[in-house]
Amino acid sequence: MYFADEPEHISVLRDVVRRFVATEMPPDQVRQWDRDHRFPPELFQKLAELGVCGVTIDEEYGGQGRDLVAAIAVIEELSRGGAFAAGPFIHAAFYGGMNISENGSEEQKRTLLPKLAAGEILFAYGLSEPDVGGDLASVTTTARRSEDGKHLILDGFKRWCTGADWADYIYCLVRSYAEAPRYQNLSFVLVPRDTPGMRVHPIEHANLRYTLSSDVIFEGAKIPAENIVGGEAGWNRGWRMLAGKALDVEKLEITAVAFGIAQAAVEEAWEYAQQRKQFGVPISAHQAVRHDLVEARTKLEACRAMLYRGAWLAQEGRPCSVETSMAKLFVADTGVEIALLCQRVMGAYGLAEGHDMERHVRDLLGMPIVGGSSNMQKNNIANGLGLKGAKS
Ligand SMILES: Cc1cc2nc3c(=O)[nH]c(=O)nc-3n(C[C@H](O)[C@H](O)[C@H](O)COP(=O)(O)OP(=O)(O)OC[C@H]3O[C@@H](n4cnc5c(N)ncnc54)[C@H](O)[C@@H]3O)c2cc1C
């Protein structure tokens, strides 16, 4: 693991992505996307042309070879410009590339991974439901086989399905065998966009407005049986897929978004404090403001160390469920502290149009909830470390 210089190929990649953000994501445009609350497909198209979407995919399936540290660096750099490119990148490289690489059948890998690596298709995540948040083993959306066995029929209700209106497939967690014990009755299926019997209703929300999140209602929605993730061998093995290696990495991807946005918040407050004058001096000359700024920067460095340690462990294939939960917990919660410190430095302008800070605050406030809440990470850590007293 490195503590000073990162590998050269990652520095080069960072520079490429940084230039992309500077050129393609000017602040006024980003603020307009945020107001519109819509997915900018043209931005993702340009990002895909850089060839970065295959960074989680093996070369034999058309990717650049799995490099999780590089993938996390891409998310970090994109997120400094907001979630507008980082979000869709995650839909391609992680929801799609990572999950199909880990869990897909050979045929699914051959068909889907080259398209995901090229950014030609995108996935959405269908886990949450109206009555199911952290307790994902309790999902109630069902998938049953058609009489001829060639199809699956889906009934149920998914909530917060980000990108359901444009994703090519929803990577959807369903209850596949109601009578089987908890954890053995779940499967993942790929639901194509515009499947008959599926309706999508957008939800307005304040954070991560790179696209809409949606309610998705399945009423006898019919999909081919080949769309069981992992093929027939994947039927009723959904929990293993969810709680396996892919989850460790999934925790890191949202952690990287939080870190990138927190970095943008610190940079904005740092710059602002040196421009804004009160009592005849830049506010950065007032000790209390200086202290807020260096406190934010110090917390940011701790976040960096937690995030990249987790990414390195995951890339090395070492056990890292505890470390990735610690990283998600620490960076998400610290990201909120950083957001509030930086917003305070900017006074009223930290909540006003014309600056990015108010968006950073909205985005960071949601981080301890999305992608597995801070409490759920604490539960994982306590269980992973064998702390007595856990429920079975
Ligand atoms: C902008 C946005 C985008 C999203 N995108 C997606 C998506 O694409 N796909 C998807 O499937 N979901 C998505 N989600 C949903 C997100 O993953 C959930 O909000 C998250 O998992 C938490 O679920 P919940 O909000 O229902 O909270 P709940 O699970 O109801 O929890 C509420 C509170 O209770 C606490 N709590 C619950 N159980 C325990 C426990 N056992 N121990 C201690 N504390 C507990 C939680 O920590 C939390 O503080 C998105 C959410 C948002 C806001």
Side-chain angles (χ1 to χ4, degrees):
M1 191 181 167
Y2 53 90
F3 289 96
D5 297 328
E6 60 187 358
E8 196 188 348
H9 75 280
I10 295 183
S11 302
V12 171
L13 183 62
R14 251 185 221 288
D15 280 350
V16 169
V17 178
R18 231 173 249 198
R19 278 201 300 276
F20 175 86
V21 171
T23 314
E24 304 296 341
M25 301 177 69
D28 284 348
Q29 176 64 77
V30 171
R31 287 175 205 139
Q32 189 58 48
W33 285 327
D34 183 68
R35 279 192 291 273
D36 293 346
H37 197 171
R38 75 168 192 96
F39 174 54
E42 63 283 0
L43 178 69
F44 178 70
Q45 202 49 51
K46 288 180 189 158
L47 179 70
E49 283 163 17
L50 295 181
V52 292
C53 295
V55 80
T56 54
I57 297 173
D58 287 345
E59 283 171 296
E60 66 168 308
Y61 298 112
Q64 277 93 39
R66 185 187 301 189
D67 186 335
L68 295 176
V69 178
I72 292 302
V74 171
I75 299 175
E76 177 199 334
E77 293 301 333
L78 290 176
S79 299
R80 292 171 67 193
F84 297 87
F89 171 75
I90 288 172
H91 287 251
F94 286 88
Y95 295 176
M98 187 70 204
N99 281 319
I100 295 299
S101 295
E102 281 295 323
N103 303 320
S105 66
E106 189 54 32
E107 195 188 333
Q108 287 162 349
K109 289 181 189 177
R110 298 234 166 265
T111 315
L112 297 171
L113 290 178
K115 292 181 190 162
L116 287 160
E120 288 167 11
I121 59 171
L122 288 161
F123 275 31
Y125 242 1
L127 307 178
S128 307
E129 296 182 354
D131 295 326
V132 178
D135 183 15
L136 288 174
S138 297
V139 294
T140 58
T141 299
T142 55
R144 63 187 159 82
R145 289 184 190 267
S146 61
E147 276 179 17
D148 62 6
K150 291 184 181 159
H151 290 91
L152 300 174
I153 316 293
L154 271 56
D155 287 285
F157 200 138
K158 290 288 169 187
R159 174 150 289 169
W160 294 115
C161 189
T162 305
D165 49 331
W166 46 255
D168 297 273
Y169 293 98
I170 301 176
Y171 188 83
C172 191
L173 184 65
V174 293
R175 184 171 289 255
S176 43
Y177 181 30
E179 266 98 79
R182 187 171 160 88
Y183 304 119
Q184 292 169 34
N185 57 2
L186 301 168
S187 301
F188 274 102
V189 296
L190 298 176
V191 185
R193 190 177 54 221
D194 298 330
T195 291
M198 164 178 140
R199 287 184 287 128
V200 175
H201 291 293
I203 306 168
E204 272 296 326
H205 51 92
N207 60 325
L208 300 177
R209 290 168 62 90
Y210 67 93
T211 190
L212 292 162
S213 293
S214 296
D215 281 341
V216 180
I217 298 134
F218 300 113
E219 289 166 325
K222 196 171 167 184
I223 61 171
E226 299 90 75
N227 287 20
I228 300 167
V229 174
E232 282 302 325
W235 191 242
N236 286 325
R237 291 171 68 93
W239 188 257
R240 285 191 202 189
M241 295 178 185
L242 181 68
K245 261 197 269 174
L247 181 63
D248 291 339
V249 177
E250 212 220 315
K251 285 180 253 171
L252 291 174
E253 106 232 335
I254 190 71
T255 305
V257 176
F259 177 58
I261 293 174
Q263 217 173 131
V266 173
E267 282 158 9
E268 190 175 7
W270 193 270
E271 185 60 32
Y272 179 89
Q274 294 176 78
Q275 305 299 327
R276 174 75 173 173
K277 286 191 177 161
Q278 288 296 292
F279 299 93
V281 290
I283 58 171
S284 61
H286 300 300
Q287 190 183 48
V289 174
R290 294 172 83 74
H291 287 185
D292 275 354
L293 287 169
V294 295
E295 196 179 325
R297 268 207 191 269
T298 306
K299 286 175 191 270
L300 201 58
E301 285 310 309
C303 290
R304 188 192 310 276
M306 297 284 285
L307 170 64
Y308 280 97
R309 176 157 183 267
W312 180 80
L313 289 170
Q315 176 62 22
E316 293 287 303
R318 301 193 190 197
C320 58
S321 178
V322 167
E323 290 81 358
T324 50
S325 279
M326 285 178 170
K328 166 72 173 66
L329 169 66
F330 184 82
V331 177
D333 285 2
T334 307
V336 174
E337 293 169 18
I338 290 173
L340 297 180
L341 276 170
C342 293
Q343 179 268 321
R344 191 166 64 197
V345 164
M346 290 181 62
Y349 297 94
L351 289 174
E353 285 238 347
H355 296 271
D356 292 323
M357 188 59 71
E358 62 87 24
R359 189 185 71 248
H360 300 326
V361 172
R362 281 187 279 119
D363 283 347
L364 286 167
L365 280 179
M367 291 301 170
I369 296 298
V370 297
S373 71
S374 288
N375 284 354
M376 297 311 289
Q377 303 309 333
K378 288 177 188 169
N379 293 345
N380 292 345
I381 295 163
N383 293 342
L385 294 176
L387 190 64
K388 281 188 184 160
K391 283 187 280 177
S392 61

